[in-house]
Amino acid sequence: MSRVSIMADYIIRDARLEDCGEIFLMLKELQEHLKDMDHMTLEEESLKNDGFGEDKFFQCIVAEQKPSGDVKPALVGYLLYCWSYSTSAGRMMVVQDFYVRQTYRTQGTGSALWAHATKVALEKGCREVEWIVHDWNVQAIKFYKKLGAVDMSKGEGWLVYRLDVNAMRSVVATDTVNKQ
């Protein structure tokens, strides 16, 4: 089901395959902003396959400028999410990426993306939306608190851990060795 929200200067809508190149550019802009380009191994083709291929692994909504004359509308932000399950609450949305281009910040674009995503989560029966944010990203933290977000690391004592692909391979190899 395609969803569209129309705002004053832009449209919030489900991302389409033809948006993938622009989403990938914004994803790289976000990684640069987060000073995390060294960890970026994703390629545009993987993004296309995982979000717009047969076996979709994530969903994405975009903020697009309203058309003006002959100028093709540009994407000005995106919110990329997937589904998960909380054994304490049930269905949940996990926001992986949220980005609004610099010149479109503080104009309601981010709030509109979040409102749209939250509506989708509620329609899917989700009881929670979760995401992570760098502790140095003060502007983002202020924005999230304004939404009513709770810092789980302080409030509930949760820490976030990750296995990268090399650690994953090590776990599998160790398990294989233990079974022999």
Side-chain angles (χ1 to χ4, degrees):
M1 170 189 349
S2 183
R3 297 171 186 87
V4 176
S5 298
I6 300 173
M7 305 297 154
D9 297 324
Y10 48 88
I11 297 167
I12 306 295
R13 62 169 174 78
D14 292 337
R16 300 185 288 251
L17 177 61
E18 59 267 21
D19 298 325
C20 196
E22 194 66 22
I23 292 168
F24 191 71
L25 286 175
M26 287 190 287
L27 191 149
K28 291 191 331 190
E29 290 171 21
L30 174 60
Q31 294 304 313
E32 287 173 13
H33 170 73
L34 297 175
K35 300 166 184 63
D36 205 21
M37 284 300 288
D38 294 342
H39 294 108
M40 185 169 169
T41 59
L42 182 70
E43 295 178 2
E44 187 175 342
E45 195 60 33
S46 294
L47 189 71
K48 276 183 187 173
N49 292 334
D50 293 340
F52 306 95
E54 242 177 74
D55 186 20
K56 288 179 85 167
F57 212 72
F58 68 84
Q59 308 289 319
C60 187
I61 57 175
V62 293
E64 175 184 67
Q65 286 179 315
K66 282 189 177 174
S68 175
D70 295 338
V71 179
K72 180 181 182 263
L75 299 185
V76 299
Y78 75 98
L79 189 147
L80 190 145
Y81 62 93
C82 57
W83 307 111
S84 188
Y85 197 80
S86 164
T87 55
S88 61
R91 292 177 178 204
M92 61 187 274
M93 174 187 277
V94 177
V95 174
Q96 180 59 40
D97 272 3
F98 166 57
Y99 180 72
V100 175
R101 286 188 158 141
Q102 186 69 41
T103 55
Y104 295 92
R105 294 181 190 161
T106 70
Q107 297 177 22
T109 310
S111 296
L113 280 164
W114 272 96
H116 191 93
T118 303
K119 181 179 178 189
V120 170
L122 289 168
E123 288 171 356
K124 282 284 202 179
C126 292
R127 309 265 311 169
E128 295 178 344
V129 177
E130 286 187 3
W131 64 96
I132 58 174
V133 61
H134 286 281
D135 59 0
W136 56 262
N137 196 342
V138 177
Q139 287 304 108
I141 292 167
K142 282 182 188 176
F143 175 79
Y144 297 140
K145 285 183 177 180
K146 208 166 111 178
L147 293 175
V150 175
D151 178 354
M152 291 177 52
S153 59
K154 291 181 182 166
E156 297 183 28
W158 290 98
L159 300 176
V160 177
Y161 287 88
R162 172 186 300 147
L163 294 175
D164 66 13
V165 71
N166 292 326
M168 291 165 54
R169 288 180 180 133
S170 177
V171 168
V172 171
T174 302
D175 185 55
T176 305
V177 167
N178 289 338
K179 289 182 180 178
Q180 294 178 356

